[in-house]
């Protein structure tokens, strides 16, 4: 039975992967975990749903980089190195209470942007001692999560250390 289910799930993944090629902003069919791709992780999410009879958990991300997140249509690509000029980083399925990270590899002369899940209530610096040099920008929704965007206008170097706390 298990082998039959895995075969069915693999067939389902192959049949819906063609939808991943669409260039519009519509959600991808088969992208169960809403990470912008249809892949094996979606099969794992389907198995977890069936096994636990529960909805998939929300995966949270944060962004630090020199491209304004308002111009983005998806959380992509997900990066793991803090040495490449920034990008989207996975936080997991729980909201963080702080983020303290040095990002390297930006372009001199460009400002830095940060986007964090709004429900985490993170602010530059901390609630008790906010960094008033940072501009609070708009919010944007990705994968049903609202992200607060912060603009570090005074920072135009090739690296910056971001500290956000509750």
């Amino acid at each position: 039975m298990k082998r039959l289910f895995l075969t069915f799930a693999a067939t389902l993944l192959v049949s819906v992967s063609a939808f991943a090629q669409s260039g519009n902003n519509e959600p991808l069919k088969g992208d169960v975990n809403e990470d912008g791709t249809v892949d094996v992780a979606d099969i794992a999410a389907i198995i977890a749903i069936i096994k636990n009879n529960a909805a998939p958990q929300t995966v949270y991300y944060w962004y630090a980089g020199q491209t304004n997140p308002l111009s983005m249509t998806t959380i992509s690509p997900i990066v793991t190195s803090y040495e490449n000029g920034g990008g989207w980083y996975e936080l997991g399925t729980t909201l963080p209470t702080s983020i303290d990270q040095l990002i390297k590899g930006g372009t001199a002369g460009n400002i830095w942007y940060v986007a964090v899940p709004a429900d985490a209530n993170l602010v530059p610096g901390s609630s008790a001692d906010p960094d008033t040099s940072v501009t609070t920008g708009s919010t944007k929704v990705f994968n049903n999560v609202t992200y607060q965007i912060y603009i570090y206008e005074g920072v135009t170097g090739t690296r910056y250390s971001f500290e956000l706390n509750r």
Side-chain angles (χ1 to χ4, degrees), residues 76-90:
S76 178
I78 309 302
V79 294
T80 56
S81 171
Y82 295 106
E83 307 279 327
N84 63 0
W88 286 98
Y89 302 91
E90 185 173 327

Side-chain angles (χ1 to χ4, degrees), residues 145-157:
V145 175
T146 301
Y147 287 85
Q148 177 63 60
I149 299 171
Y150 295 107
I151 306 164
Y152 291 73
E153 295 180 68
V155 180
T156 58

Side-chain angles (χ1 to χ4, degrees), residues 61-63 99 114-120 122 146-150 164:
Y61 300 88
W62 78 286
Y63 172 81
I99 296 173
V114 169
V116 294
D119 286 346
L122 298 178
T146 301
Y147 287 85
Q148 177 63 60
I149 299 171
Y150 295 107
L164 299 107

